[in-house]
Amino acid sequence: MTFRVLAAASVLALSAGVAQAQDGPKLSYNLGVASDYVFRGVSQTQEDPQLFGGVDITAGKFYAGTWASNVDFGDKTDAEVDLYAGYKPTVGAVSLDLGVIYYGYLGAPKGADYGNVEFKAAGSVPAGKGALGAAVFYSPDSFGAADEAVYYELNGSYPIAAKWSVSGAVGRQTYEGSGDYTTWNVGAAYALTDKLSLDLRYHDTDEHGFGKVYGARAVASLKAVF
């Protein structure tokens, strides 16, 4: 895990350094609360509330950042802390996002297979006033399992009024071993101010038999960006 942390941190620093060389860096911050922390259809907090926040630096087409949230896996793990970096080029009408993400966990039991690196390739195209997108995330050593994993997703969003937008996604989480499942979500967001937004979203998976954290749920979240 130490190697992964150092590798992710090195990528983070490199991307930020290149970005700073090309354009003046810009910092942004986010802070929010949610009724549940749902990641790819699965509750990360045993269906309890979430408090999260992060810091991002962007310059030109490069970005890097960190993000943290409370988690509850039924053991002593207290928090998730992520590091990420990437590049967002545009090819014709396609907006791309090529990056790497490190998921780290504080308080995880010794020997637990928590923490992993994912490589991301995502893209979106305009669809009227909205957008349609697709993404692939690849992990050579996935969280909670000693095997490769790939997550595929199709997503879309559309503004329906001055401050309202709707969005949704369907994804498939696959492993080299067992545990594959499909997930989907649909919801609406409302811009309370230019910095504060409210999101109401329904999540579900096709594998409720994996446990209650894979069940259907509605989640309300409030997020500030400044």
Side-chain angles (χ1 to χ4, degrees):
M1 182 179 294
T2 301
F3 172 78
R4 294 176 187 160
V5 173
L6 291 175
S10 298
V11 172
L12 186 71
L14 177 62
S15 295
V18 173
Q20 187 170 2
Q22 291 189 354
D23 193 6
K26 297 180 181 179
L27 282 173
S28 64
Y29 308 86
N30 64 83
L31 183 66
V33 293
S35 58
D36 193 353
Y37 173 15
V38 179
F39 178 71
R40 296 177 185 169
V42 182
S43 174
Q44 308 294 291
T45 53
Q46 300 293 320
E47 303 181 315
D48 287 332
Q50 175 194 26
L51 175 64
F52 61 89
V55 181
D56 294 279
I57 181 171
T58 60
K61 297 178 180 179
F62 293 89
Y63 68 88
T66 184
W67 181 88
S69 171
N70 62 296
V71 296
D72 183 358
F73 301 140
D75 53 28
K76 294 183 179 180
T77 309
D78 297 319
E80 173 185 337
V81 180
D82 303 339
L83 299 172
Y84 50 87
Y87 178 63
K88 291 184 175 182
T90 300
V91 180
V94 182
S95 298
L96 296 173
D97 184 354
L98 309 174
V100 60
I101 309 163
Y102 172 76
Y103 302 89
Y105 296 88
L106 303 181
K110 185 177 180 180
D113 189 20
Y114 291 174
N116 70 288
V117 173
E118 277 191 337
F119 299 94
K120 173 178 67 172
S124 65
V125 294
K129 294 181 180 180
L132 293 174
V136 178
F137 295 79
Y138 168 74
S139 174
D141 185 9
S142 66
F143 164 78
D147 51 36
E148 296 180 340
V150 182
Y151 178 73
Y152 308 89
E153 182 180 280
L154 296 176
N155 54 67
S157 62
Y158 196 84
I160 56 175
K163 295 184 178 183
W164 285 96
S165 64
V166 294
S167 61
V170 58
R172 178 70 176 173
Q173 180 69 66
T174 66
Y175 298 97
E176 186 177 316
S178 60
D180 297 2
Y181 68 94
T182 299
T183 180
W184 56 91
N185 71 78
V186 62
Y190 178 72
L192 297 168
T193 70
D194 60 344
K195 300 181 183 300
L196 186 65
S197 62
L198 173 67
D199 186 274
L200 302 174
R201 191 159 302 275
Y202 173 83
H203 300 263
D204 202 358
T205 77
D206 67 341
E207 291 291 354
H208 295 183
F210 286 176
K212 70 173 185 177
V213 295
Y214 286 79
R217 68 197 69 248
V219 177
S221 62
L222 187 67
K223 180 179 178 180
V225 178
F226 48 94

